[in-house]
Amino acid sequence: MVQELQRISVQVAREAGALIRELAQKPRYIEKKSRYDLVTDADRAAHTLIKERLLEQCPNSFVLSEEDPETHRAVGTFEKPVAWMVDPIDGTTNYARNIPLCAVSIAAYDPFANQLLAGCVYNPFQEECFYASRDQGAFLNGQRISVSSIQSLENAVLSTGYFNHPEITYPSSNLPETWQFLKESLGLRRTGAASIDLCWVAMGRLDLYWENGLKPWDMAAGILLVQEAGGQVTNYAGQSIHLFQDSLLASNRFLHPAAMRILTQV
Ligand code: IPD
Ligand code: CA
C-alpha cells in the first residue's frame, strides 16, 4: 500500500512539475497573497491538476493543499484514511524569479495512525525527483540516498529559512539562531524551498536544516525523505515532530544534540 501511494505521488508530482516548467516559459501572472507571500498562475494550475489526479487514483482520500484555503480547516478532523499534503510549488518566490530551486511536494499521511506513508518532492528545473515510502528507504531519480556522516558542526553545511509574517519581531526572527550557527558551522545556505532543504539533508548535500513556522505542505514529504534516509527530524526541543504546528530540526542525526543546544538556548 505505501509503495502504491509512493507511485501515485511520483506520477502526479512529475506531471505537475512538467506543467510548472512549461508555464515558466510563458508570461507570468504573479499576485501577492500577503506582504511576503506570492502566488502565480502556475501554483493554481498545478494545484488543480494535482487534486484531480490524486482523487482519480485514490478516491478514498482527502487533499489538503496550500492553494486551497478551504481545506486548511480540515486539520484535526480528517475522515479519510489518507490525507495528501500538497504544495503545488514550494519556493514560489524562486519560481517567480526564475531561480531553479522550487519543487512540487506531495505526501500521503495517515491521520488515524499519525504517520507519513509516502511522498515525493520533484524539482523539474534540476530534474531531481526525490521519493520515499515508510520503511522502504529514500531515493533520488532511482538511486537510494542517505544522510551525510559529518560529525561536528564545525564541518557542517547548514540551511534555514525565514519568517514570512509581517507581525514577527526580532527575537523570533531566527536571526539570533542564525548568528550562532554561522559562528559554529562551516557555512550556511538559504534555498527558499523547505522541501528542497529537507531533500538535500536526506541526500547529504546539507547536514542540517532548521526552520520555525512551516506548514504541513512545506515539510511533510521532506520529513519522510530525511527519516527514510537515516536522518532525524524533531522539533527544536528534540521531541517528535508535530506536522501541524511545530518548529522543525532535521539532521544527519549526529548533529542533532549540538543543534538542539543552540535552538533551545539562544
Ligand atoms: C516557503 C518556502 C520557504 C520557507 C517558507 C515557506 P512557499 O514556501 O518553503 O523556504 O522559508 O517558510 O513558506 O511559500 O514558497 O510555498
Ligand atoms: Ca507553495
Side-chain angles (χ1 to χ4, degrees):
M1 145 112 168
V2 293
Q3 276 171 329
E4 174 62 2
L5 293 169
Q6 176 187 279
R7 186 196 64 73
I8 295 171
S9 68
V10 171
Q11 189 189 314
V12 176
R14 280 191 169 280
E15 201 180 334
L19 175 67
I20 66 171
R21 189 173 47 203
E22 186 189 315
L23 291 175
Q25 305 302 321
K26 301 192 171 154
R28 301 297 178 82
Y29 299 93
I30 303 170
E31 284 168 44
K32 271 200 167 179
K33 274 201 279 196
S34 62
R35 167 68 181 83
Y36 300 106
D37 216 0
L38 300 180
V39 63
T40 72
D41 53 326
D43 294 76
R44 297 206 168 104
H47 159 75
T48 305
L49 180 144
I50 293 167
K51 184 166 187 177
E52 204 178 289
R53 294 287 187 275
L54 289 176
L55 292 176
E56 254 165 36
Q57 298 209 45
C58 193
N60 194 22
S61 68
F62 179 81
V63 178
L64 186 149
S65 165
E66 176 174 14
E67 301 312 335
D68 192 352
E70 284 288 299
T71 65
H72 302 178
R73 283 192 243 134
V75 172
T77 61
F78 295 117
E79 289 169 357
K80 309 276 175 142
V82 172
W84 296 98
M85 305 288 134
V86 173
D87 195 342
I89 302 181
D90 184 38
T92 298
T93 307
N94 286 345
Y95 180 80
R97 305 303 288 262
N98 291 317
I99 298 169
L101 291 176
C102 43
V104 179
S105 179
I106 300 177
Y109 169 73
D110 174 347
F112 304 123
N114 186 27
Q115 278 184 344
L116 288 164
L117 302 174
C120 177
V121 174
Y122 176 49
N123 176 352
F125 300 98
Q126 298 188 321
E127 269 306 345
E128 290 194 328
C129 185
F130 297 88
Y131 50 91
S133 55
R134 192 168 192 83
D135 299 327
Q136 308 296 316
F139 298 83
L140 162 59
N141 294 345
Q143 301 293 317
R144 187 125 188 191
I145 52 173
S146 57
V147 292
S148 74
S149 55
I150 297 287
Q151 311 267 330
S152 69
L153 264 185
E154 198 183 325
N155 295 318
V157 180
L158 324 175
S159 77
T160 190
Y162 295 91
F163 62 94
N164 58 3
H165 303 291
E167 64 276 15
I168 286 179
T169 54
Y170 179 80
S172 53
S173 63
N174 195 19
L175 293 176
E177 292 85 345
T178 296
W179 172 238
Q180 198 57 35
F181 276 114
L182 274 172
K183 282 195 291 186
E184 295 198 32
S185 70
L186 184 62
L188 183 70
R189 303 290 179 265
R190 199 274 205 237
T191 72
S195 61
I196 290 179
D197 289 303
L198 286 163
C199 289
W200 286 12
V201 171
M203 70 175 296
R205 268 183 199 149
L206 296 170
D207 308 305
L208 184 147
Y209 162 67
W210 82 96
E211 185 163 348
N212 197 3
L214 290 170
K215 302 292 186 194
W217 48 81
D218 299 314
M219 56 181 171
I223 289 173
L224 187 64
L225 258 294
V226 174
Q227 291 169 335
E228 288 297 322
Q232 190 175 358
V233 186
T234 65
N235 65 14
Y236 287 179
Q239 297 151 339
S240 316
I241 185 92
H242 189 315
L243 203 52
F244 301 100
Q245 44 176 36
D246 228 337
S247 53
L248 178 142
L249 167 61
S251 82
N252 65 0
R253 81 186 173 276
F254 303 111
L255 300 173
H256 231 77
M260 278 165 51
R261 169 181 54 77
I262 293 176
L263 292 169
T264 53
Q265 286 173 14
V266 163

